[in-house]
């Protein structure tokens, strides 16, 4: 009996079989036998006149028999007949919606009874492929709700491990997950919510080298990152690939959301052509964030993602939604496409991915510390040496340039608190000959304070390397870290 190979989009009509052996002495008879056995397949392959649909090619072994006539072409027992529907052209066949099982129909019943969703919508959700960049604050609610809603394929990009300081907001991770890869922890929760999902883990830092290859297989990209190089990278890759970029960002009590690069709408670079100078906008690690805030913004992103998949409602395109949790206010700003945008405008200068760390003026994570001395790393001192100086009763001034609310969490005995913002006003109070050591939380702000003093002519100023976090690690392990 000749064998007929069934392509992936048609297997839903053959009980998932990828090959069916049928009787028949010509290709036509074999196809008739196949569609008699699987009647649902008939209208997929043949038109009303019984002719093979124009977007299906039929091969006998390796020969294209379209123009030879299926009825005239003999098929022998050892022959293989292949049905090859066009896929790249977006034919009806390639887009044949996935079938929902009885379990899935029950699971999604509250969707199915909404007319705007229904079976068709749920099938669109199941067919959709969505990539979440980041399994952190925004990725957590996105991952949980998009899984529950039945988005069939979810990709996750992250290379971080779960940390105690994540648990206040990254609700997809539990206390027992601390130390685990975020991808493993998140994928486990998502799969537990919905076993029908396909989850792809991309355990890597998204980079100019891998971004296009990772993004190209998805329909929608959701940006849940926390740094500028990745934001610009995601934006440019989405514009180059023509994928919508569902954007969200958070800081303390405020958030933003919009949909970039969708059907001619503006992109992130239309809004912000260039990143702020390094250090001007603090990250969540430096500036803090209300734990609930990423939930609100992440769910706005999830809502937009589901709307895009279903093709319903007014997408958040050309509008920047601003959320103020303290005032409990939403505002909306009009976003226009910038005709001079370097990546989506009329005279494009960015036609491939660039070096985004260089563009944003920040070092690559994990890159070796700069070999040359910079104004901010000059004259550092180790925490153990500061401890020895304190123990010996050496004459020196120890200054803490953190904020008062940080000082209340933990402090080094004897340190004088002068927040960095007030620091320039106090420069005149110090003796330029004095031995001065400055610290903050991790060493960045104290580096700036050291720079200010050196510019004012102070000669013996040292920055405590690693800040009070290093102190808590190496000197006083009972000290709380934050
Ligand atoms: Zn643009």
């Amino acid at each position: 009996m000749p064998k007929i190979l069934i392509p992936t989009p048609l297997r839903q009509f053959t009980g998932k079989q990828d090959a069916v052996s049928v009787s028949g002495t010509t290709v036509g008879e074999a196809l008739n036998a196949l569609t008699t056995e699987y009647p649902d397949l008939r209208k997929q392959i043949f038109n009303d006149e019984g002719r093979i649909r124009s977007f299906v090619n039929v091969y006998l072994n390796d020969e294209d028999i379209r123009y030879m006539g299926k009825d005239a072409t003999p098929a022998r027992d050892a022959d293989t007949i292949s049905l090859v529907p066009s896929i790249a052209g977006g034919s009806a066949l390639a887009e044949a919606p996935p079938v929902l099982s009885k379990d899935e129909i029950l699971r999604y019943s509250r969707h199915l009874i909404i007319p705007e969703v229904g079976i068709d919508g749920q099938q669109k959700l199941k067919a959709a492929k969505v990539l979440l960049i980041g399994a952190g604050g925004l990725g957590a609610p996105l991952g949980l709700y998009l899984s529950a809603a039945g988005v069939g394929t979810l990709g996750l990009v992250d290379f971080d491990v779960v940390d105690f300081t994540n648990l206040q907001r990254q609700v997809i991770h539990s206390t027992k997950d601390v130390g685990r890869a975020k991808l493993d922890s998140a994928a486990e929760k998502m799969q537990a919510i919905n076993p029908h999902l396909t989850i792809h883990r991309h355990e890597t830092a998204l980079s100019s080298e891998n971004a296009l290859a990772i993004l190209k297989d998805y329909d929608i990209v959701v940006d849940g990152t926390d740094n500028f190089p990745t934001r610009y990278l995601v934006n440019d890759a989405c514009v180059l690939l023509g994928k919508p970029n569902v954007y969200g960002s958070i800081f303390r009590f405020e958030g933003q959301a919009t949909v970039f690069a969708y059907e001619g709408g503006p992109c992130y670079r239309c809004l912000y052509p260039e990143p702020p100078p390094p250090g001007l906008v603090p990250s969540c690690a430096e500036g803090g964030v209300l734990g609930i805030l990423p939930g609100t913004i992440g769910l706005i992103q999830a809502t937009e993602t589901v709307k895009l998949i279903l093709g319903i409602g007014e997408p958040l395109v050309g509008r920047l939604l601003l959320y103020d949790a303290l005032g409990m206010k939403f505002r909306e700003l009009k976003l226009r496409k910038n005709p001079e945008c370097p990546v989506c405008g009329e005279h494009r200068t960015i036609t491939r991915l660039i070096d985004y760390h260089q563009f944003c003026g920040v070092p690559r994570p994990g890159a070796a510390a700069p070999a040359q001395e910079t104004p901010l790393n000059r004259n550092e001192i180790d925490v153990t040496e500061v401890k020895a100086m304190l123990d010996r009763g050496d004459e020196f001034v120890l200054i803490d340039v953190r904020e008062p609310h940080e000082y209340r969490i933990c402090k080094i005995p004897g340190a004088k608190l002068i927040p960095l913002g007030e620091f320039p006003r106090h420069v005149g109070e110090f003796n330029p000959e004095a031995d001065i050591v400055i610290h903050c939380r991790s060493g960045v702000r104290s580096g700036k304070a050291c720079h200010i003093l050196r510019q004012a002519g102070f000669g013996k100023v040292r920055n405590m390397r690693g800040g009070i976090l290093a102190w808590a690690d190496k000197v006083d392990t009972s000290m709380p870290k934050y």
Side-chain angles (χ1 to χ4, degrees), residues 235 239 265-271 336-338 340-345:
N235 179 72
V239 173
C267 82
Y268 185 61
R269 279 184 192 266
C270 295
L271 177 62
R336 283 187 215 291
K337 196 175 167 82
N338 173 11
E340 297 305 316
C341 175
V343 69
C344 81

Side-chain angles (χ1 to χ4, degrees), residues 330-478:
F330 285 92
R331 282 202 301 146
E332 199 180 292
L333 303 179
K334 274 209 179 76
L335 280 187
R336 283 187 215 291
K337 196 175 167 82
N338 173 11
E340 297 305 316
C341 175
V343 69
C344 81
E346 285 153 26
H347 313 286
R348 301 176 187 189
T349 53
I350 298 169
T351 51
R352 58 191 180 84
L353 300 180
I354 59 170
D355 183 334
Y356 293 89
H357 288 92
Q358 189 186 44
F359 174 67
C360 295
V362 296
R364 264 168 204 282
Q372 82 275 29
E373 207 170 62
T374 69
L376 294 186
N377 73 8
R378 193 186 302 156
N379 287 338
E380 292 191 330
I381 180 170
D382 194 78
V383 287
T384 52
E385 205 181 328
V386 177
K387 171 75 163 97
M389 289 163 71
L390 286 170
D391 289 347
R392 285 195 302 265
D394 289 0
E395 197 158 307
F396 76 107
V397 183
L398 181 60
I399 303 171
D400 180 346
V401 292
R402 296 176 302 153
E403 299 296 316
H405 59 269
E406 298 178 82
Y407 191 74
R408 287 181 60 196
I409 301 170
C410 57
K411 57 179 175 279
I412 298 172
K416 183 176 169 57
L417 180 69
I418 306 175
L420 183 62
E422 299 166 22
F423 196 77
R425 281 195 274 130
H426 292 269
V427 169
E429 297 167 16
F430 307 119
N431 175 2
E433 304 301 316
D435 200 352
I436 298 175
V437 174
I438 308 181
H439 87 83
C440 62
R441 177 174 166 273
S442 68
V444 175
R445 281 173 286 175
S446 49
K448 291 176 187 165
C450 288
H451 187 55
I452 292 169
L453 284 189
R454 279 191 212 105
Q455 285 197 313
F458 286 65
K460 293 191 284 181
V461 183
R462 284 180 290 178
N463 183 13
M464 190 173 91
R465 192 183 308 121
I468 202 163
L469 292 178
W471 184 275
D473 281 335
K474 290 194 197 168
V475 176
D476 178 4
T477 52
S478 70

Side-chain angles (χ1 to χ4, degrees), residues 131 133 156-159 201-218 221 229-230 233-234 237-238 240-241 353-354 356-357 364:
L131 181 66
I133 318 261
L156 290 170
V157 186
D158 207 301
F159 62 99
R201 305 177 199 194
H202 305 281
E203 188 153 25
T204 179
L206 202 68
S207 70
S208 307
E209 289 74 40
N210 63 23
L212 295 177
I214 293 175
L215 268 62
K216 74 171 169 39
D217 293 328
Y218 294 91
V221 177
T230 316
L233 168 62
V234 171
C238 283
L240 293 175
L241 292 168
L353 300 180
I354 59 170
Y356 293 89
H357 288 92
R364 264 168 204 282

